[in-house]
């Protein structure tokens, strides 16, 4: 049973995990700066995710991820939601949009984050995504775009949510197995 060997972040509660963020190093160059952070996500059952995040004035990206047990593709889409807030707190992004981490860098819009409507996690989010998907199909519109608009997520993250809805049985399988 392959599914049991994955971490399944979408089935876990945020209260069960502990996120730690530690600065690793900072490089200043050409009037800007880039910082690296060690990010850890640990659970009482021994499951663990370790990542290296890179923060610049323009973006936050994940450079490396190690997990025990392994992360599924769906887990990768959920991982950002788990570590986003602690990572932004550690690197000095505040709600007003100023960036305290590096005084010589310009402040980004709203702390570098876009505003998006709240979307429930887990099975409830899958169910709502499936409803939006089916409604768009019935209207003859692009169902993936409908889920993107409803969630405020990127195309990749919306496709992951749709895949989770399929796995949960809210949507028909993509292709019939032979």
């Amino acid at each position: 049973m392959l599914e049991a060997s994955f971490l399944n972040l979408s089935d876990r509660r945020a209260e069960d995990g502990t996120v730690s963020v530690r600065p690793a190093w900072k490089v200043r160059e050409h009037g800007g700066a880039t910082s690296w952070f060690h990010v850890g996500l640990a659970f009482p059952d021994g499951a663990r995710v370790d990542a290296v995040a890179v923060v610049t004035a323009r973006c936050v990206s994940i450079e490396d991820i190690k997990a025990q047990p392994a992360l599924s593709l769906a887990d990768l889409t959920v991982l950002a939601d788990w570590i986003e807030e602690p990572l932004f707190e550690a690197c000095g992004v505040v709600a007003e949009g100023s960036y305290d981490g590096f005084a010589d860098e310009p402040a980004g819009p709203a702390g570098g984050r876009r505003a998006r409507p709240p979307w429930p996690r887990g099975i409830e989010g899958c169910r709502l995504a499936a409803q939006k998907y089916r409604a768009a199909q019935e209207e003859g519109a692009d169902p993936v775009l409908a889920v993107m608009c409803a969630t405020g997520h990127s195309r990749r993250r919306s496709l992951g949510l749709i895949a989770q809805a399929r796995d949960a049985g809210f949507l028909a399988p993509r292709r019939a197995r032979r």
Side-chain angles (χ1 to χ4, degrees):
M1 176 139 162
L2 187 62
E3 187 64 30
S5 64
F6 289 118
L7 186 58
N8 292 326
L9 284 176
S10 57
D11 295 338
R12 295 179 183 252
R13 295 181 316 163
E15 303 84 44
D16 296 338
T18 304
V19 179
S20 63
V21 179
R22 297 176 325 216
W25 61 93
K26 182 192 305 187
V27 176
R28 290 185 183 268
E29 153 178 81
H30 301 295
T34 302
S35 293
W36 284 260
F37 291 86
H38 291 288
V39 181
L41 176 59
F43 294 94
D45 63 356
R48 181 160 187 79
V49 178
D50 293 307
V52 176
V54 182
V55 180
T56 67
R58 286 176 243 123
C59 71
V60 176
S61 60
I62 302 297
E63 193 169 276
D64 186 35
I65 297 176
K66 293 179 184 173
Q68 185 63 34
L71 290 173
S72 67
L73 290 176
D75 288 341
L76 285 174
T77 62
V78 176
L79 180 63
D81 292 333
W82 282 74
I83 67 173
E84 182 177 48
E85 186 175 324
L87 181 59
F88 283 161
E89 288 175 9
C91 63
V93 176
V94 292
E96 293 80 34
S98 64
Y99 189 84
D100 292 340
F102 311 110
D104 56 346
E105 293 186 6
R113 296 176 61 185
R114 69 180 191 281
R116 69 175 177 228
W119 192 259
R121 292 185 182 193
I123 204 75
E124 181 64 21
C126 290
R127 187 182 62 74
L128 290 173
Q131 286 175 349
K132 296 289 184 186
Y133 187 94
R134 282 193 305 268
Q137 272 185 328
E138 291 169 3
E139 295 172 2
D142 181 3
V144 177
L145 185 59
V147 173
M148 289 171 59
C149 290
T151 62
H153 292 315
S154 67
R155 183 170 186 84
R156 179 176 288 179
R157 187 170 276 179
S158 295
L159 287 169
L161 190 58
I162 292 166
Q164 288 176 353
R166 286 189 198 286
D167 292 344
F170 294 119
L171 292 171
R174 183 84 174 134
R175 293 178 193 91
R177 294 188 179 189
R178 297 177 191 190

